[in-house]
């Protein structure tokens, strides 16, 4: 946006300066022509006045010598010449005023152009510095985020390993609550085992008692045979 604004400003200044150069050339050319014309006219009418003065002197001398008076000539032309010179002087003044105005406006435009251009350069430099600082800050922040992410991943891995270890410890050390069905099945198995043990014990007792009876009977019947 700033570069576009400066480019537009450069184009406007170039066009304005181009117009000034043309206007100045036209005004200076006009002034040169008017001043040349004034010089010619002034020289002409000055010479004419000298000639008329000489003629007047001759007329006075003739009158002195009793000659007829010399007629007055070119009075009308002299008045017209004065009028033309006056008009040309007005034109000269207008052209000079116009030239001075053009030069003043050109100087003001150039001064304003240079002022805005300098401000744009300063603004551009500041923005470029801001971009440099922002880029450095972004890179530093991105590096910090990367390091934080790495630390977080490492911490997450460590936390997961600890959680897994704790789960294994809990499985070994903490008794899990037993359901009713599991308790009933376990008690039924215990009772069945006790019954089986009791049956085996009773069988062993019965066998032992039978053996003892047989021994006693043999003891008493043996000698009498």
């Amino acid at each position: 946006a700033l570069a576009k604004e400066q480019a537009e400003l450069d184009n406007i200044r170039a066009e304005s300066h181009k117009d000034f150069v043309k206007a100045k050339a036209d005004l200076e050319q006009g002034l040169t022509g008017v001043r040349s014309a004034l010089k010619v006219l002034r020289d002409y009418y000055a010479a004419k006045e000298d000639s008329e003065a000489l003629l007047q002197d001759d007329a006075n001398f003739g009158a002195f010598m009793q000659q007829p008076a010399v007629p007055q000539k070119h009075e009308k032309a002299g008045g017209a010449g004065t009028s033309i010179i006056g008009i040309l002087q007005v034109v000269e003044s207008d052209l000079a005023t116009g030239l001075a105005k053009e030069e003043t406006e050109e100087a003001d435009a150039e001064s304003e152009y240079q002022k805005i251009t300098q401000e744009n350069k300063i603004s551009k430099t500041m923005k470029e510095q801001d971009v440099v600082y922002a880029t450095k800050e972004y890179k530093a922040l991105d590096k910090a985020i990367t390091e934080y992410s790495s630390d977080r991943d490492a911490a997450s891995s460590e936390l997961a390993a600890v959680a897994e270890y704790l789960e294994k410890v809990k499985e070994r050390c903490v008794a899990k609550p037993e359901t009713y069905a599991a308790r009933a099945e376990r008690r039924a198995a215990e009772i069945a085992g006790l019954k089986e043990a009791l049956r085996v014990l009773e069988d062993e007792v019965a066998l032992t008692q039978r053996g003892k009876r047989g021994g006693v009977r043999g003891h008493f019947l043996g000698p009498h045979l």
Side-chain angles (χ1 to χ4, degrees):
L2 186 61
K4 182 180 179 181
E5 179 183 343
Q6 183 62 44
E8 292 176 353
L9 183 65
D10 293 341
N11 291 333
I12 293 172
R13 178 83 277 270
E15 290 294 328
S16 176
H17 181 70
K18 181 179 178 181
D19 293 341
F20 163 74
V21 170
K22 185 178 183 303
K24 181 181 179 182
D26 292 342
L27 289 169
E28 287 179 340
Q29 183 179 2
L31 273 172
T32 300
V34 169
R35 286 168 178 167
S36 296
L38 281 170
K39 184 177 184 304
V40 170
L41 287 172
R42 285 168 179 157
D43 291 345
Y44 169 76
Y45 287 112
K48 177 183 173 185
E49 289 176 359
D50 291 341
S51 176
E52 289 178 350
L54 181 59
L55 289 174
Q56 185 65 36
D57 291 340
D58 290 342
N60 292 336
F61 180 75
F64 177 75
M65 297 298 293
Q66 296 182 352
Q67 294 294 328
V70 179
Q72 297 292 329
K73 298 179 180 180
H74 304 295
E75 290 182 358
K76 185 176 181 181
T82 302
S83 178
I84 292 173
I85 289 174
I87 292 172
L88 289 177
Q89 285 175 336
V90 172
V91 173
E92 179 189 22
S93 177
D94 291 343
L95 290 173
T97 300
L99 179 60
K101 182 180 177 182
E102 288 289 338
E103 289 175 341
T104 300
E105 290 178 352
E106 170 66 11
D108 292 342
E110 179 65 18
S111 177
E112 184 67 16
Y113 167 76
Q114 293 297 337
K115 177 183 175 183
I116 296 175
T117 299
Q118 185 64 25
E119 290 176 351
N120 287 342
K121 287 181 180 179
I122 294 173
S123 180
K124 180 182 178 183
T125 301
M126 292 179 65
K127 288 183 178 180
E128 288 175 349
Q129 290 297 322
D130 290 341
V131 170
V132 172
Y133 294 144
T135 302
K136 288 182 178 179
E137 185 175 354
Y138 163 76
K139 289 182 178 179
L141 183 60
D142 185 62
K143 181 180 179 182
I145 291 174
T146 302
E147 292 176 352
Y148 171 76
S149 299
S150 299
D151 293 342
R152 184 189 62 183
D153 293 341
S156 298
S157 299
E158 293 176 0
L159 183 61
V162 171
E164 183 179 359
Y165 174 75
L166 287 176
E167 189 64 27
K168 291 179 180 179
V169 171
K170 285 169 65 177
E171 289 179 358
R172 291 198 299 264
C173 300
V174 179
K176 294 183 178 179
E178 193 174 20
T179 63
Y180 173 78
R183 288 197 304 271
E185 184 179 357
R186 179 172 56 78
R187 287 176 181 173
E190 291 176 353
I191 291 172
L194 291 173
K195 286 182 178 181
E196 180 64 20
L198 181 60
R199 186 184 63 78
V200 172
L201 182 61
E202 288 177 347
D203 290 343
E204 290 181 353
V205 170
L207 289 173
T208 302
Q209 289 178 350
R210 288 175 186 169
K212 287 181 178 180
R213 287 198 199 103
V216 171
R217 174 187 271 183
H219 175 73
F220 286 105
L221 294 178
H224 297 289
L225 291 177

